[in-house]
Amino acid sequence: MLRISVLVSGGGTNLQAVIDAVSRGALPDAEIGLVISSRPDAYALERAKQAKIPTAVIAPANYESPSGMSRDMLDALGAAETDLIVLAGYMKVLPPEIIRAYPQRIINIHPSLIPKHCGRGYYGIRVHESVLAAGDAESGATVHYVDEGVDTGEIIVQERVPVLPGDTAGALAARVLEVEHRIVVQAIHTIIENKKKKQEDDEAAMIATIAFMNIM
Ligand code: GRF
C-alpha cells in the first residue's frame, strides 16, 4: 500500500482528481491518509472532509520560524505513515528539511512544459501569461519529483496542450488544468508500478542469492 499525503493551498481540483481515482479503483494500491493545507480557508479542506480524509492546517504565517513549521509538518507526515507527498496546488516552497526527509518521494504538478516557464516567480496565472507573452504555440503540464531547487527535479510525466488563437491566460489555464488532473493520477500510477517492480526485482535477487548459497 502506498500512503499518500496531499499538500494544498486552494480549490483542490487536483486533490479531487486523486480522490476520485482512488475511489474508482484506478490506483488500487494507494490511499490518501492526510491532507495538509497552508490556508485555513482552502476549499480543498472541504473536499477532504467530504471524502473522510483527515486534515491539518499548517500555515507558515502561524510560525515564528520556518523550523517550527517543518517540525509540525514532519510530525504530521510521520504520524500519517506517509510514503509519498503530492503537492497539489500547494503555493508555498517546501522547507529543505522536509525535502531531505523524503528524497524522491515528493511530487509536484506544474502548469507548463518544464523547463519552460518555471522556477521562482512562475506560479498560478503568471505561468500562462508568460506562455502567451512568449508567443508559444503549445503549453502543457508537468509532474516532477521535488528536489531542493524550484521546479528542477526529475520529470515523471508531461502532456502538451495547444495554445489557441485569441487565448487568454484564464482560458489556457483551464485547458492545462484538465491535463493536470489526468497526469497527476498517471504519475502516481507510475510510482506504484515502479515500486512493485523494484520489490519483485529485490525478491528475485534474494532468491537467486539463497539458491547460489545452497549450491556452494
Ligand atoms: C493549478 O493551476 C496548478 O497548476 C496550481 O494550482 C492550480 C490548481 O489548484 N499549482 P487546485 O488543485 O485546483 O487547488
Side-chain angles (χ1 to χ4, degrees):
M1 188 54 85
L2 185 83
R3 302 243 330 148
I4 304 172
S5 291
V6 184
L7 271 57
V8 296
S9 299
T13 63
N14 281 298
L15 166 66
Q16 191 68 55
V18 182
I19 292 173
D20 292 347
V22 171
S23 62
R24 70 170 180 268
L27 297 171
D29 296 312
E31 66 182 347
I32 306 174
L34 177 65
V35 170
I36 298 178
S37 175
S38 64
R39 297 170 54 118
D41 58 350
Y43 185 68
L45 288 169
E46 194 50 47
R47 295 180 189 271
K49 281 173 196 154
Q50 276 169 20
K52 303 199 166 39
I53 299 166
T55 59
V57 175
I58 300 183
N62 294 344
Y63 293 88
E64 277 177 19
S65 74
S67 62
M69 189 188 97
S70 297
R71 206 168 33 245
D72 278 2
M73 201 175 265
L74 285 173
D75 284 351
L77 293 168
E81 298 176 33
T82 305
D83 297 309
L84 179 73
I85 300 171
V86 177
L87 307 185
Y90 185 68
M91 290 304 187
K92 301 285 166 191
V93 174
L94 266 193
E97 300 85 58
I98 312 282
I99 297 170
R100 282 179 211 139
Y102 290 87
Q104 295 294 88
R105 292 202 288 151
I106 309 176
I107 63 173
N108 180 49
I109 312 159
H110 184 78
S112 80
L113 295 174
I114 291 176
K116 297 190 96 179
H117 313 287
C118 66
R120 213 166 277 280
Y122 286 89
Y123 56 85
I125 203 75
R126 294 178 187 208
V127 176
H128 308 291
E129 285 166 355
S130 165
V131 171
L132 294 180
D136 292 359
E138 60 176 16
S139 188
T142 305
V143 178
H144 63 94
Y145 284 109
V146 173
D147 62 15
E148 289 189 45
V150 180
D151 300 330
T152 52
E154 183 193 333
I155 291 171
I156 307 166
V157 198
Q158 237 172 9
E159 193 179 315
R160 291 160 196 280
V161 303
V163 175
L164 300 179
D167 253 352
T168 59
L172 180 57
R175 196 173 311 123
V176 170
L177 189 58
E178 276 182 38
V179 168
E180 292 179 40
H181 297 161
R182 204 163 41 239
I183 68 172
V184 67
V185 173
Q186 208 179 315
I188 296 169
H189 193 264
T190 300
I191 289 168
I192 293 169
E193 290 300 309
N194 290 347
K195 193 178 162 192
K196 250 194 241 162
K197 169 120 192 14
K198 189 176 177 309
Q199 268 164 3
E200 283 164 11
D201 288 352
D202 289 351
E203 275 166 26
M206 176 109 77
I207 290 166
T209 309
I210 293 168
F212 178 72
M213 281 161 60
N214 284 342
I215 295 168
M216 297 299 285

